[in-house]
Amino acid sequence: MNIHSEKILILDFGSQYTQLIARRVREAHVYCELHPFDMDLEAIREYSPQGIILSGGPKSVYDAEAPAVEEALFDLGIPVLGICYGMQLLARHFGGKVVPAGKREYGHADLMSKSTPGPLFDGFFIDGKSPVWMSHGDHVEKIPDGFEVISQTDNAPVAAIQNVERNLYGVQFHPEVNHTPRGEIIVDTFVRKICRCKGQWTPGKIIEDAVARIREQVGTDKVILGLSGGVDSSVAATLIKRAIGDQLTCVFVDNGLLRLAEGDQVMATFAENMGVKVIRVDAEDRFLQALAGETDPEQKRRIIGNLFIDIFEEEAARIANAIWLAQGTIYPDVIESAGGKTGKAQNIKSHHNVGGLPDYMKLKLLEPLKELFKDEVRAIGEELGLPHQMVWRHPFPGPGLGVRILGEVKKEYADILRQADAIYIEELYTSGYYDKISQAFAVFLPVKSVGVMGDGRTYEYVISLRAVETKDFMTADWSKLPYALLSRISSRIINEVRGVNRVAYDISSKPPSTIEWE
Ligand code: XMP
């Protein structure tokens, strides 16, 4: 039995929570994939999942063009769990009635058990009750023949239904979101007890499987990988090194826009400790020259991205017989680039990574993390023995300090920012706050303000500190760091970094601000 031999299929009807369903299934140690709701029945049969989950979605099942699954899906004999829209679809398919609710229900509700809650709720209720998260406009008014109601809330008399004989279940609430405490028990019960999956998807087995697959794919070929020092490329490099040893060469481009001592840390971890072949390219001058005079954020991103590609290509050309390009692409990147049926979000900032390498490079792609969520990548990183600080480091954008120095990028500014940022991050580590927040960094503002130091007047630059808390980086709250900590960071920066006499703290949330300043 391999780790992909048991799997759950999640059909996506466009809910903002669909990825969370997949994460909960993975947490139950079962592999799953997300596919569009109209996946071909033949393809589903061939895929042969142990269970199917129908996600929520923004439409109403009685709309003229409401998305639906192929009718025969329910005759495959595969257990089905419908969530929100998915449950309404299930109910309607079997002859139940779905109507608009008098009042849209959004937020917490107390789910109450019926006298026999049924297999799906095994171990879920405490004293017959449990809080759940609701978000729906429609509800099931009449359940289909052969089904029974297994729970209710004050506003939703039909909060969950089942047909145990046919292994069909529906819940009106969202067990996948964090707002439903213990919701993971329901997903776990569905995949392990109802679908009878044993739970093969564990970090150790994922590594074993990835190593075997890399060996099989690559054979005796050579592989190159652009190492950035971020979690994804670091874990990819470690896995590939384990699989094929010296056939891997990493290229680490120092663009002069990295954090303090970052290049040395990457070399120490990979080249010195792990014996990975890493070519370090010192390209600071080229990047700074290319950026000279440019103040537009999108142009800066483009310049940095394009030059990265040029340099990477130059280095790749030097590595004899490299046939594979390895990338740290992860599952959310795959889902997002496949594009939702509901249309893609507007491009607010052009994010770049090595994924933008041109076709004519003619390298085959090796993407050992492309089935994994970020938390799984981290778990694997830990299992592979990467340092905690590398596995749990905050995200760092491809253009690096280039988008944290507002306006024109200059070496003087980058040096000031690096020092201020290092003090900030060090203080976050020593105070224990680094691991409690999602992302923190300093920003350089190219404006001068007046200050006084000793007996003299100063006229120097401003540093702004940013710290945010977020689950998905699509929305974020600014972190309420303690005043005493902010105060210590501010005085250290002003005392220790020449050229700075003022520190500000960014108290904007996303939206309407973004996390990075450019
Ligand atoms: P924003 O600023 O859009 O950032 O709220 C959301 C998350 O994305 C990161 N980010 C980037 N990552 N290349 C990247 O690889 C980029 O150009 C880029 N811009 C923003 C940002 O650090 C945050 O985690």
Side-chain angles (χ1 to χ4, degrees):
M1 188 177 230
N2 74 46
I3 55 171
H4 295 92
S5 59
E6 36 177 51
K7 51 197 178 274
I8 299 293
L9 173 65
I10 299 164
L11 294 178
D12 182 13
F13 290 89
S15 158
Q16 52 179 330
Y17 303 135
T18 308
Q19 279 198 32
L20 290 178
I21 303 175
R23 286 175 53 183
R24 296 291 99 83
V25 173
R26 300 284 185 90
E27 281 162 16
H29 301 299
V30 175
Y31 180 65
C32 62
E33 282 181 19
L34 274 171
H35 284 268
F37 64 87
D38 57 357
M39 184 177 180
D40 191 67
L41 197 67
E42 249 336 284
I44 296 178
R45 224 180 246 128
E46 201 170 304
Y47 187 67
S48 164
Q50 272 63 39
I52 298 174
I53 300 180
L54 310 176
S55 85
K59 291 269 169 60
S60 291
V61 285
Y62 44 77
D63 284 350
E65 304 217 335
V69 289
E70 291 208 37
E71 300 279 303
L73 177 102
F74 299 107
D75 301 328
L76 294 175
I78 301 173
V80 175
L81 170 63
I83 295 177
C84 197
Y85 184 90
M87 156 163 153
Q88 293 158 11
L89 202 70
L90 180 71
R92 195 173 145 103
H93 172 84
F94 285 97
K97 190 168 178 207
V98 178
V99 295
K103 200 169 97 216
R104 222 187 116 74
E105 195 181 14
Y106 184 81
H108 282 288
D110 268 329
L111 191 72
M112 283 162 292
S113 164
K114 290 274 176 179
S115 50
T116 45
L120 186 65
F121 288 138
D122 196 13
F124 178 65
F125 290 110
I126 296 176
D127 295 333
K129 275 204 324 203
S130 199
V132 295
W133 183 256
M134 288 285 194
S135 169
H136 63 110
D138 298 339
H139 66 200
V140 176
E141 188 181 67
K142 179 180 154 291
I143 63 164
D145 291 344
F147 281 75
E148 58 188 315
V149 177
I150 46 175
S151 69
Q152 63 184 65
T153 68
D154 283 344
N155 283 332
V158 184
I161 56 173
Q162 69 178 13
N163 178 330
V164 177
E165 214 169 288
R166 298 190 60 169
N167 262 331
L168 303 173
Y169 298 86
V171 292
Q172 182 57 72
F173 56 91
H174 289 274
E176 71 277 25
V177 302
N178 289 319
H179 296 306
T180 297
R182 299 198 305 283
E184 69 282 359
I185 297 176
I186 295 177
V187 178
D188 194 275
T189 302
F190 179 70
V191 302
R192 295 175 69 126
K193 298 203 177 123
I194 295 171
C195 304
R196 297 173 185 278
C197 294
K198 299 217 160 43
Q200 303 286 319
W201 192 253
T202 58
K205 288 189 178 149
I206 297 171
I207 293 172
E208 244 173 63
D209 175 80
V211 165
R213 283 206 281 173
I214 294 167
R215 283 190 187 137
E216 193 185 311
Q217 265 183 296
V218 172
T220 54
D221 297 341
K222 295 230 168 96
V223 178
I224 53 172
L225 177 142
L227 194 60
S228 70
V231 188
D232 303 340
S233 69
S234 299
V235 173
T238 315
L239 258 182
I240 299 169
K241 162 78 181 170
R242 183 174 280 199
I244 57 165
D246 280 352
Q247 286 161 257
L248 170 70
T249 305
C250 295
V251 177
F252 173 70
V253 178
D254 184 343
N255 58 11
L257 303 169
L258 303 174
R259 286 162 291 194
L260 196 69
E262 190 162 17
D264 295 340
Q265 280 162 13
V266 168
M267 294 309 285
T269 307
F270 289 95
E272 289 155 35
N273 288 342
M274 286 168 33
V276 177
K277 268 195 273 177
V278 187
I279 299 174
R280 179 176 182 168
V281 188
D282 179 7
E284 180 181 38
D285 291 346
R286 282 176 75 178
F287 278 90
L288 290 176
Q289 264 168 29
L291 285 166
E294 186 57 66
T295 55
D296 177 69
E298 281 299 282
Q299 283 300 344
K300 283 163 58 180
R301 273 199 158 72
R302 222 159 284 139
I303 291 169
I304 297 169
N306 290 344
L307 186 54
F308 176 85
I309 291 169
D310 289 349
I311 293 174
F312 192 82
E313 275 188 272
E314 288 165 21
E315 294 305 321
R318 275 189 249 257
I319 300 165
N321 307 326
I323 293 185
W324 294 88
L325 172 68
Q327 294 193 153
T329 316
I330 64 173
Y331 194 42
D333 304 333
V334 175
I335 298 170
E336 270 143 41
S337 60
K341 297 232 159 215
T342 42
K344 285 210 78 176
Q346 194 197 350
N347 186 15
I348 311 273
K349 293 176 188 180
S350 46
H351 291 196
H352 87 276
N353 58 29
V354 194
L357 286 173
D359 294 343
Y360 61 81
M361 273 193 80
K362 298 268 182 294
L363 290 167
K364 294 197 239 175
L365 274 187
L366 181 66
E367 300 179 312
L369 311 180
K370 76 165 193 278
E371 291 176 344
L372 306 179
F373 286 105
K374 193 85 171 187
D375 34 11
E376 295 173 323
V377 173
R378 291 203 160 114
I380 282 174
E382 289 199 318
E383 182 94 9
L384 287 166
L386 278 172
H388 177 91
Q389 291 201 354
M390 187 156 267
V391 171
W392 291 98
R393 78 194 307 186
H394 296 167
F396 187 64
L401 302 186
V403 289
R404 295 178 180 174
I405 294 167
L406 302 196
E408 186 176 1
V409 176
K410 294 183 182 169
K411 179 162 167 54
E412 178 203 355
Y413 299 169
D415 286 337
I416 291 177
L417 178 55
R418 258 189 282 273
Q419 292 173 58
D421 187 75
I423 292 172
Y424 182 25
I425 300 301
E426 183 190 313
E427 287 293 336
L428 288 174
Y429 265 121
T430 41
S431 60
Y433 272 86
Y434 188 87
D435 285 336
K436 290 187 199 153
I437 55 183
S438 314
Q439 192 172 5
F441 53 89
V443 178
F444 178 87
L445 310 191
V447 287
K448 288 191 168 182
S449 77
V450 173
V452 55
M453 248 186 209
D455 294 327
R457 174 186 188 273
T458 59
Y459 187 52
E460 289 173 334
Y461 293 113
V462 183
I463 287 288
S464 177
L465 306 176
R466 182 88 166 122
V468 294
E469 277 151 51
T470 171
K471 285 232 168 334
D472 55 9
F473 295 88
M474 307 292 283
T475 61
D477 280 334
W478 60 277
S479 304
K480 280 63 181 181
L481 291 179
Y483 285 167
L485 175 61
L486 288 170
S487 164
R488 189 162 60 244
I489 295 164
S490 161
S491 54
R492 274 198 64 195
I493 291 176
I494 293 170
N495 285 327
E496 295 173 35
V497 183
R498 291 195 76 148
V500 178
N501 68 354
R502 195 172 293 273
V503 170
Y505 189 58
D506 182 352
I507 54 167
S508 352
S509 289
K510 172 184 181 177
S513 299
T514 52
I515 296 174
E516 302 289 345
W517 278 43
E518 280 198 342

